[in-house]
Amino acid sequence: MNDHTTIRLLKDKVFRGTVMFLACFSMLPLLLILYYITRNGIAVINWEFLTQLPRPIGEVGGGVFNAVVGTVILIILSSILSVPIGITAGIYLSERSEGKIANIVRLCVVVLQGTPSIVIGIVAYIWIVAPFHSFSALSGGVALSIMMLPVIIKSTEETLKLMPYHLKEASLALGVPYYKTILKVILPTGISGILTGILLSVARITGETAPLLFTAFGNQFMNWNLFKPIDSLPYRIFYYAMSPYPEWHAFAWGASFILVVVVLGFNLIARGVAVKWKVQF
Amino acid sequence: MDDACSVNGIAIQHLNGKTKAKDVPVKSIIDKSERRFNGILFVAALFVVVLMLAILLTLIVASIPAIKTFGLTFFWGTTWDAAAEKFGALPFLLGTLITSFMAILICIPFSLSISIFLGEYFKEGAFPAFLRSSIEVLAGIPSVIYGLWGLFLLMPIVRAIETQLGVTPHGVGILTSSLILAIMIIPFSASMGRDVVTLVPADLKEAAYSLGATRFEVIKNVIIPYARSGIIAGILLSLGRAIGETMAVTMLIGNSNFIPKSIFDPSNTMASVIANEFAEATGITAASLIYVGLVLFLVTTIVNIIGTYVIKKVALEASKEVT
Amino acid sequence: MESTVLSVTDFSAYFGENQILKNINLDTGSNVVTALMGPSGCGKTTLIRCVNRMHELIPGATVKGKMYLKQDDVYAMEPIVLRRKIGMVFQKPNPFPMMSIYDNVIAGYKLNGIRLKRDELDTIVERSLRGAALWDEVRDSLHRKGTFLSGGQQQRLCIARALAMNPEILLLDEPTSALDPKSTSAIEELIVELKKSVTMLLVTHNIAQAARVSDYTAFIYLGELVEFGTTEKMFTVPKDKRTEEYLTGKFG
């Protein structure tokens, strides 16, 4: 074995070692983040934290109940707005693999998905906050629903495309009209993929703050009125984190813990649905 | 889709000519439902397009006051002064550019390593599966939480480094936000890279091995060149993400509207200045911020379209190779 | 034999618990074509891949026994050094799509980081392409990528790529099974011509091809070397009943 070969073998080993080191090192941020969230978050979480409203600074205690409720309301609102349209548009795209309009729609989906969330916030502000002269849960819901739309459309399209043709054939051969075939056979069979898409998009928007900065805006108090500002977990985290008070910083960690658990929870459920409910062919 | 196709599916269209006479009543009821169904589908699809155009139009119209006042000089104007109502976006363009590119540069070695690690060295096994799950979890963590973590863990470290170097210890600034951006885009670009690496055909790798290449040489001379366009597309898409990233950057960039002179200076990106100032902005200030938003939108859209287009091509080539 | 190029002694190969090759004993002389034939799954591809230790790339693969390439113990060498001495042509033509024809021929040198002068490389490229009977067809498009070539031409390019390294033995793993009849006969003619300059081990499931191009044939069945001898003798008076049955098409 000559020197040249030895060098080459050495390079091979060094490269392998470097790749492994860098890859493993990349896990460090994750471990650190999860560790700190858990450590600092759990320290703050108790029943009071989960069920009380924020107290003004200076007073001890309080919680993030309004933020939790606000997040739930926003999720429900944006889902109501985005799911029906998203699934319908997804069905349209799955039925047409060619066609100018279909391709334009697909392009729009790509662009929508890549649009920065803060830009969507601006648009929702102009459409809803400005005319009503008030920050509102509604505007936040609209902004979030625009963000959910592309994910739902894509996952619906992809799920339905995977449905084998013989399924359609069986139904059509029984004399079932085409549109009923889609609604009653194809769609239910593909429900796991569609549901997964919805859950993943919910997971995505649950943690979104930027579009809420000037739409839902945040609210110290509990608010059930959709036309008034509403609080949310991500907003509360931002607000507390940027404040100068250590008590609030601690609360920010607590709220982060809840948020991470919720977001990861949605992701896990989405994956579970994808596996457990999937119809095999 | 015309009526012939939609009533009974694709197979029967040529029969309709013959079945007309007898089935007219039933057919017309079904026809109506079919047409309504297709109509609803079409409306939903159209809605998406209209929404897209509406967003673009809204941004343009709302920024007209600013476009009229500043025109294109907006892009090289260096002062952003709300009191004097003079607005130039160069500080934010620079801020965005510098942080995004720094983030990509920092991210590339790590995400390439992960891609090669998972796509070539360790395709199966418990540890790779763990790494893959970690990446997915990392990708799902909301931006504001990265910001929070960065504020309390990254900022002190950067402050310490700055004190060591004798620079003003802001702690926040371009360096810190680039670091957090890099951490945030690693999961996304790593999983894209891994997908692309696994698409390299086995027989090409075999040919290279049979010629006596080491694993490193196969990776360097066969896998990477073959996967090159996919990797570049992945980088482009990650760049698009980085440019539009708002919360973590807002929390760690220091909110300064002046042109940064070093990576330790505080700054603002297009996204962060909007986040910081839009809620209370009115009049020409608001219009200028929306103008910034319009630019941000256009830049990310172009980057994303190019990246998506390249990825589609790569996937198409790969599926051809298999046959 | 004239001078033994490859000497296989009591050689067995395993994938995990499965024994694929059982005690193979085989010697090939120089400048001859030895065909390995047998029904699918009998181990002939595994045997050929053990010669250049490509078999090892699959986790769980182990071997027993000895293999000598000229004077060198195959399993005592560094694999990358070994593989440079052995050329391999695969079933499906696999030129590197990102490289030009020129670069494909010298890929062995490029990948191994061997730097040669431009005129040396030019000579190697011409010599190898001539040896693979491809020179006249591509001499004007050397710097184009090889994807426009037909299947048969791509396979000849792969042969040129292997020849460029001056291998001590050339391994061909069913080189024509993915090609049309015309390209197949072109490659078969090439193999007969190449005998003058290089020793070859040819895996084929096509009995007629073995008869056409090889000097010696080894019949492998269920991992065992059933019979080995000159092609002429084996095809006319096979010694083993199994060989006879295979040649008359009773199985495989």
Side-chain angles (χ1 to χ4, degrees):
Chain A
M1 226 168 60
N2 60 21
D3 285 330
H4 185 59
T5 311
T6 325
I7 295 178
R8 287 171 56 209
L9 287 170
L10 194 66
K11 274 194 201 169
D12 187 48
K13 284 213 175 68
V14 167
F15 181 73
R16 183 190 161 107
T18 314
V19 164
M20 291 184 63
F21 173 70
L22 288 178
C24 296
F25 188 77
S26 322
M27 293 222 299
L28 206 65
L30 172 74
L31 296 171
L32 284 176
I33 292 177
L34 287 182
Y35 171 68
Y36 277 103
I37 294 179
T38 320
R39 192 189 80 174
N40 296 351
I42 291 198
V44 174
I45 294 188
N46 50 37
W47 188 246
E48 185 189 351
F49 188 71
L50 293 171
T51 54
Q52 294 292 331
L53 297 179
R55 299 260 176 83
I57 189 62
E59 287 184 35
V60 164
V64 292
F65 186 54
N66 58 339
V68 173
V69 170
T71 299
V72 172
I73 292 179
L74 285 171
I75 293 177
I76 296 176
L77 191 54
S78 48
S79 302
I80 293 177
L81 292 172
S82 63
V83 170
I85 302 179
I87 295 183
T88 317
I91 299 176
Y92 178 88
L93 286 179
S94 72
E95 288 294 300
R96 279 160 188 73
S97 42
E98 313 278 308
K100 270 221 217 107
I101 299 186
N103 285 331
I104 294 178
V105 175
R106 285 199 190 96
L107 181 67
C108 290
V109 171
V110 168
V111 175
L112 266 177
Q113 190 157 27
T115 305
S117 54
I118 195 144
V119 170
I120 295 182
I122 295 180
V123 170
Y125 175 90
I126 296 175
W127 288 352
I128 305 190
V129 176
F132 284 93
H133 298 291
S134 165
F135 297 111
S136 58
L138 184 62
S139 57
V142 166
L144 294 178
S145 66
I146 296 179
M147 294 184 66
M148 283 179 75
L149 210 51
V151 181
I152 298 180
I153 296 178
K154 254 176 78 176
S155 60
T156 306
E157 180 191 0
E158 269 157 34
T159 308
L160 293 183
K161 267 202 175 136
L162 287 177
M163 299 283 116
Y165 187 65
H166 64 73
L167 204 63
K168 270 190 205 167
E169 278 192 315
S171 169
L172 294 173
L174 290 166
V176 179
Y178 194 75
Y179 80 95
K180 272 207 186 141
T181 304
I182 301 287
L183 286 177
K184 300 210 155 157
V185 178
I186 303 291
L187 211 56
T189 316
I191 196 72
S192 88
I194 297 175
L195 209 60
T196 306
I198 297 176
L199 285 170
L200 286 177
S201 63
V202 166
R204 183 183 167 202
I205 54 118
T206 306
E208 276 294 335
T209 324
L212 300 178
L213 290 175
F214 19 86
T215 51
F217 196 61
N219 193 329
Q220 289 273 76
F221 307 102
M222 183 67 80
N223 170 38
W224 301 93
N225 182 349
L226 293 181
F227 293 94
K228 290 277 168 238
I230 196 170
D231 209 35
S232 63
L233 278 172
Y235 188 86
R236 195 112 298 263
I237 296 172
F238 177 64
Y239 185 71
Y240 279 169
M242 298 297 274
S243 75
Y245 313 116
E247 303 88 350
W248 279 6
H249 296 165
F251 275 16
W253 287 108
S256 299
F257 183 78
I258 301 177
L259 186 59
V260 167
V261 166
V262 169
V263 170
L264 291 185
F266 275 125
N267 272 305
L268 275 173
I269 299 177
R271 231 150 286 282
V273 165
V275 168
K276 274 232 152 102
W277 289 15
K278 187 172 173 128
V279 179
Q280 294 288 359
F281 288 106
Chain B
M1 256 196 200
D2 57 316
D3 296 65
C5 210
S6 55
V7 172
N8 270 314
I10 303 170
I12 312 188
Q13 54 185 322
H14 56 282
L15 283 180
N16 274 343
K18 295 180 198 150
T19 53
K20 250 194 218 154
K22 288 181 210 141
D23 308 60
V24 166
V26 183
K27 196 162 161 273
S28 63
I29 296 176
I30 297 180
D31 261 348
K32 252 215 217 129
S33 323
E34 287 285 353
R35 257 186 293 213
R36 220 176 323 156
F37 180 70
N38 287 326
I40 296 176
L41 290 187
F42 185 71
V43 164
L46 209 64
F47 177 82
V48 175
V49 180
V50 167
L51 179 67
M52 187 74 264
L53 292 174
I55 291 177
L56 185 60
L57 221 69
T58 309
L59 290 172
I60 295 178
V61 166
S63 42
I64 282 182
I67 301 181
K68 272 214 194 123
T69 323
F70 305 107
L72 287 172
T73 66
F74 194 64
F75 293 100
W76 49 84
T78 55
T79 11
W80 185 273
D81 191 340
E85 297 210 326
K86 186 165 183 292
F87 296 107
L90 190 61
F92 318 123
L93 291 171
L94 279 179
T96 308
L97 216 71
I98 299 174
T99 47
S100 305
F101 274 99
M102 268 186 73
I104 296 273
L105 280 175
I106 300 173
C107 146
I108 287 181
F110 290 97
S111 75
L112 257 179
S113 298
I114 299 178
S115 310
I116 296 176
F117 183 92
L118 289 177
E120 178 58 25
Y121 282 110
F122 292 99
K123 291 189 236 197
E124 319 264 316
F127 183 66
F130 179 66
L131 186 58
R132 250 176 284 135
S133 312
S134 318
I135 290 179
E136 277 175 27
V137 172
L138 262 179
I141 293 183
S143 174
V144 68
I145 295 185
Y146 276 107
L148 174 71
W149 179 81
L151 266 181
F152 294 110
L153 278 114
L154 213 52
M155 194 172 87
I157 297 179
V158 174
R159 222 183 237 150
I161 296 179
E162 286 171 338
T163 334
Q164 282 281 46
L165 291 173
V167 230
T168 334
H170 295 292
V172 291
I174 296 210
L175 177 62
T176 325
S177 38
S178 304
L179 283 174
I180 201 74
L181 261 184
I183 296 178
M184 291 173 74
I185 53 178
I186 285 177
F188 177 66
S189 53
S191 55
M192 293 209 79
R194 184 196 136 254
D195 290 341
V196 170
V197 164
T198 45
L199 285 178
V200 179
D203 60 344
L204 285 183
K205 293 190 266 189
E206 283 208 320
Y209 280 122
S210 75
L211 289 165
T214 60
R215 193 154 205 181
F216 166 54
E217 285 155 358
V218 173
I219 293 177
K220 176 168 158 242
N221 294 304
V222 178
I223 296 183
I224 301 283
Y226 190 90
R228 191 181 39 208
S229 26
I231 293 178
I232 292 181
I235 293 180
L236 271 178
L237 288 174
S238 310
L239 185 65
R241 280 265 180 111
I243 293 176
E245 183 40 62
T246 315
M247 293 320 293
V249 174
T250 307
M251 292 162 88
L252 292 171
I253 199 162
N255 196 12
S256 151
N257 292 337
F258 299 103
I259 295 193
K261 294 196 195 60
S262 84
I263 58 171
F264 301 107
D265 279 349
S267 175
N268 252 331
T269 60
M270 294 190 273
S272 69
V273 68
I274 298 175
N276 276 313
E277 302 195 1
F278 190 71
E280 280 112 23
T282 52
I284 193 72
T285 318
S288 305
L289 285 168
I290 300 177
Y291 194 4
V292 173
L294 177 63
V295 174
L296 180 61
F297 175 71
L298 292 174
V299 169
T300 43
T301 300
I302 294 175
V303 170
N304 273 316
I305 290 185
I306 299 178
T308 310
Y309 173 68
V310 175
I311 289 275
K312 279 215 174 98
K313 255 183 67 178
V314 167
L316 205 62
E317 296 282 324
S319 61
K320 281 202 207 126
E321 280 290 324
V322 177
T323 50
Chain C
M1 277 196 192
E2 305 83 335
S3 58
T4 313
V5 172
L6 180 69
S7 167
V8 181
T9 316
D10 292 333
F11 192 80
S12 303
Y14 304 80
F15 277 123
E17 297 293 309
N18 288 332
Q19 185 168 14
I20 309 292
L21 293 173
K22 304 177 180 146
N23 278 338
I24 308 276
N25 281 285
L26 186 63
D27 284 345
T28 42
S30 68
N31 297 96
V32 294
V33 175
T34 306
L36 300 179
M37 67 174 192
S40 349
C42 65
K44 49 194 201 293
T45 298
T46 309
L47 178 58
I48 210 178
R49 297 181 123 222
C50 286
V51 176
N52 66 355
R53 295 178 65 177
M54 294 284 284
H55 167 78
E56 290 174 3
L57 294 177
I58 301 170
T62 48
V63 301
K64 275 202 203 125
K66 288 270 182 221
M67 260 201 206
Y68 279 88
L69 183 65
K70 295 244 175 100
Q71 306 300 334
D72 301 315
D73 183 343
V74 166
Y75 281 83
M77 293 168 77
E78 193 57 59
I80 60 170
V81 174
L82 171 74
R83 291 181 192 139
R84 270 175 47 189
K85 301 186 187 213
I86 302 179
M88 188 168 217
V89 177
F90 297 81
Q91 199 167 343
K92 183 166 163 285
N94 54 10
F96 297 115
M98 327 77 70
M99 298 185 196
S100 65
I101 293 178
Y102 186 96
D103 285 336
N104 256 292
V105 178
I106 50 161
Y109 294 95
K110 269 187 65 179
L111 290 170
N112 285 319
I114 301 173
R115 296 221 185 146
L116 294 174
K117 280 190 270 214
R118 188 52 192 248
D119 34 295
E120 283 178 304
L121 289 173
D122 286 344
T123 319
I124 293 175
V125 169
E126 184 172 341
R127 173 175 51 83
S128 315
L129 286 172
R130 279 191 194 279
L134 192 60
W135 174 250
D136 290 323
E137 290 164 59
V138 300
R139 64 191 301 171
D140 297 321
S141 6
L142 288 178
H143 294 283
R144 284 176 61 185
K145 295 211 169 56
T147 37
F148 69 93
L149 298 174
S150 71
Q153 288 171 319
Q154 286 188 16
Q155 193 63 303
R156 273 180 278 154
L157 177 58
C158 294
I159 293 177
R161 177 176 66 189
L163 290 178
M165 303 292 283
N166 268 325
E168 291 176 16
I169 188 169
L170 184 62
L171 306 174
L172 302 126
D173 186 0
E174 302 202 33
T176 57
S177 56
L179 302 177
D180 60 274
K182 192 154 167 256
S183 310
T184 302
S185 28
I187 302 255
E188 284 181 9
E189 273 174 38
L190 179 60
I191 292 177
V192 173
E193 183 62 32
L194 278 174
K195 244 191 280 195
K196 299 179 195 154
S197 45
V198 78
T199 309
M200 285 173 277
L201 206 56
L202 169 74
V203 169
T204 178
H205 65 265
N206 184 340
I207 299 170
Q209 180 173 86
R212 282 192 290 268
V213 308
S214 66
D215 305 293
Y216 293 86
T217 304
F219 174 53
I220 300 184
Y221 181 55
L222 296 179
E224 281 177 36
L225 178 61
V226 172
E227 191 171 335
F228 179 73
T230 56
T231 306
E232 204 187 322
K233 279 228 186 83
M234 230 171 103
F235 276 64
T236 46
V237 278
K239 287 190 208 135
D240 195 293
K241 191 159 193 300
R242 289 170 287 181
T243 318
E244 191 186 333
E245 286 182 356
Y246 180 69
L247 289 173
T248 51
K250 285 227 177 75
F251 58 85

